[in-house]
Amino acid sequence: MPQVVRSRNGALHGPSPVPPLPHRFRSLADRESVEVLHRAARVLVASLPALTDRLVEALYAQEPAYRAAIDSDRAEVWQEVHHSLRHNVGSLIQPREFRESAHRTSRWIGEIRAEQGVPLDAVLHAFRMGGAMVWQDLVDETARRDPDDIRLLVHVAADVWNFVDEHCGVVADAYRQAERRLSWRRENRQRLMVAALLDGTARIADLAEAAEMLGLPEQGRYAVLAVAEGRRSGAGPADAGVARHGPGPAARTPVVLPAAHPGAAALWHPGPDAEFAILPLTGPPGELSELAAALDVPAGTRAGIGSAVEGLAALGDARRLAETALRACPATGGTVLLDEHLPDALVVSSPALAGALADRVLGPLDRLDPADRDVIVETLTAWLDADGSAQRAGTRLYCHRNTVLNRLRRFEQLTGRCLTRPRDAVEVSLALAARRLLGT
């Protein structure tokens, strides 16, 4: 029977002497065939150390993924292989007694190899190599004892190979479960590390590990982007929330970073009131302005970009700057780059003082009819945005420049402020920002 009796080398390199059959195949084994199998298996049990040596050598020669483990600790790999062979060969003789322990061993191997990062294909290949070597030894021992019994051994071939396939399934299932646990642990550790960096609570001693884990330079330049939903009409800053997509935990607000920017692969992290993204910076000083201009922010979403900082250790400061920029965003949505809105940032950084300033400067207007008051406030805002040009302000408001000047003079009469005096102009500008941003 040339397809059954062949060299050990051929069994390891070529297809199995008897191919695995589907599990629905009905075993042809009878009592005599099983006795032949048991006799051969008992001889294998007695020579397990030699069988283990040969399998370890075969793994080293034929499965590159195992070479590093064998080079690192050959004795440990040998013990693992020996333990697996002892339980699996024992299962051929006493299936009821050894089945559960053999399964536990296979599950343990699957978990260990997943933790070591050995590819699953390599682990399954190792099990099939072991199965091929055991089967060939069974055939060789039967042929040595009585060649005529080989015809009986063939009847149990399907059972042997179904056993190998069963354990490959056990190994694969344990491997994938362990892989999922490891992936969750890595992701959770990364989330905790990012949270610590953004909170400013990361230890200096952990920064090198954080840089390696996150794939970021420890001493690079960074900024933080904060994103939240626009506030409802009349809502205060504390009412701003994270954009959610369906039920469950908060999902990242769909702000799209320009693909050409290094920050396109930003690390996102959810917060209670906003989502944060760590942006690596590698370009010129104007990089943040270009990023803010190219940022794709959906309608009704607010985005704030803080100033650049140096090093991972400063990401806590960068987050706080991004939150300040976010508070300076219009309630209805938009993007604010902190460096370009520093007066607004001053206002939102001290809302109590900003509110007091707004009441002091603009309070006299509250005695007017609301429509009349809003016209004066709109004119003031347009005039300041036009750099003090009544002509350009009139164009924006669709009125004559003299109308603008008349409204400005009325404001000065009501409030006692002089818009040509720099100090008063600054106070008016900040008061208007407080009304706009804080609703005071």
Side-chain angles (χ1 to χ4, degrees):
M1 301 181 66
Q3 292 184 336
V4 176
V5 183
R6 58 190 183 126
S7 69
R8 294 187 179 93
N9 189 52
L12 294 177
H13 287 280
S16 306
V18 179
L21 298 176
H23 289 288
R24 66 176 180 274
F25 176 81
R26 183 177 180 180
S27 174
L28 298 177
D30 55 20
R31 181 176 298 177
E32 191 176 2
S33 301
V34 171
E35 289 176 355
V36 170
L37 173 66
H38 286 180
R39 281 197 301 270
R42 289 189 188 97
V43 175
L44 263 64
V45 170
S47 60
L48 272 182
L51 176 59
T52 303
D53 287 340
R54 287 192 286 115
L55 183 51
V56 171
E57 288 297 332
L59 286 172
Y60 190 86
Q62 298 179 40
E63 185 46 70
Y66 272 77
R67 287 176 191 160
I70 295 173
D71 284 334
S72 174
D73 195 337
R74 191 181 192 90
E76 182 181 356
V77 176
W78 192 96
Q79 288 293 341
E80 177 188 303
V81 172
H82 184 268
H83 193 65
S84 178
L85 287 173
R86 180 163 59 86
H87 284 85
N88 291 336
V89 175
S91 295
L92 298 178
I93 305 171
Q94 296 175 291
R96 291 184 181 179
E97 290 80 357
F98 280 88
R99 184 177 187 275
E100 185 54 38
S101 60
H103 277 198
R104 283 198 302 269
T105 299
S106 295
R107 284 195 294 269
W108 176 76
I109 291 174
E111 292 172 356
I112 289 296
R113 291 295 173 244
E115 291 174 1
Q116 293 173 341
V118 178
L120 178 57
D121 287 347
V123 181
L124 296 178
H125 182 214
F127 261 76
R128 293 191 176 100
M129 287 173 64
M133 185 173 285
V134 167
W135 173 248
Q136 188 62 48
D137 279 12
L138 292 171
V139 172
D140 289 348
E141 174 57 29
T142 302
R144 185 190 63 80
R145 178 183 294 270
D146 188 348
D148 290 340
D149 284 347
I150 290 178
R151 61 181 177 80
L152 297 173
L153 191 62
V154 171
H155 292 171
V156 297
D159 297 310
V160 172
W161 284 102
N162 284 340
F163 176 86
V164 173
D165 283 347
E166 176 187 349
H167 278 263
C168 283
V170 171
V171 168
D173 183 62
Y175 186 101
R176 294 188 181 102
Q177 289 184 23
E179 200 172 37
R180 286 192 291 270
R181 288 195 301 271
L182 291 169
S183 177
W184 181 86
R185 288 173 189 166
R186 284 193 298 269
E187 292 174 0
N188 191 53
R189 181 160 175 73
Q190 177 173 305
R191 282 194 296 270
L192 292 174
M193 184 63 74
V194 171
L197 289 171
L198 290 173
D199 289 343
T201 57
R203 299 182 305 173
I204 297 298
D206 293 334
L207 293 180
E209 180 187 355
E212 181 178 359
M213 179 190 304
L214 304 177
L216 298 172
E218 183 178 349
Q219 301 302 328
R221 291 175 59 247
Y222 297 97
V224 170
L225 165 67
V227 180
E229 286 182 340
R231 297 190 292 273
R232 299 182 302 276
S233 177
D239 296 318
V242 179
R244 297 180 182 270
H245 304 276
R252 180 166 67 83
T253 306
V255 169
V256 180
L257 291 156
H261 192 274
L267 288 173
W268 287 89
H269 183 77
D273 298 318
E275 294 268 349
F276 298 97
I278 298 175
L279 306 176
L281 303 177
T282 59
E287 181 180 13
L288 280 178
S289 297
E290 295 176 3
L291 173 62
L295 204 62
D296 184 4
V297 180
T301 298
R302 298 179 299 129
I305 304 175
S307 303
V309 299
E310 296 289 338
L312 291 177
L315 282 178
D317 295 334
R319 176 190 62 82
R320 288 184 283 274
L321 292 172
E323 287 178 324
T324 300
L326 186 64
R327 291 196 297 271
C329 283
T332 54
T335 301
V336 165
L337 176 59
L338 184 65
D339 291 347
E340 297 177 356
H341 294 79
L342 292 177
D344 289 351
L346 287 174
V347 167
V348 298
S349 294
S350 185
L353 290 177
L357 176 64
D359 290 341
R360 179 180 178 85
V361 174
L362 303 177
L365 299 182
D366 294 335
R367 294 191 291 269
L368 300 175
D369 180 84
D372 195 13
R373 177 198 62 204
D374 291 346
V375 167
I376 294 178
V377 169
E378 182 183 25
T379 302
L380 273 171
T381 302
W383 180 74
L384 289 169
D385 289 343
D387 298 325
S389 169
Q391 182 68 45
R392 291 201 300 274
T395 300
R396 294 185 184 187
L397 298 172
Y398 302 102
C399 63
H400 195 274
R401 63 182 298 275
N402 290 339
T403 302
V404 172
L405 293 174
N406 289 334
R407 293 172 181 172
L408 296 179
R409 277 193 294 270
R410 188 179 179 204
F411 167 78
E412 290 177 328
Q413 292 168 356
L414 289 169
T415 62
R417 303 281 165 171
C418 178
L419 294 174
T420 58
R421 186 183 301 131
R423 180 187 180 91
D424 285 357
V426 169
E427 290 184 352
V428 170
S429 177
L430 292 175
L432 289 172
R435 286 282 173 99
R436 172 171 51 85
L437 295 170
L438 305 176
T440 59

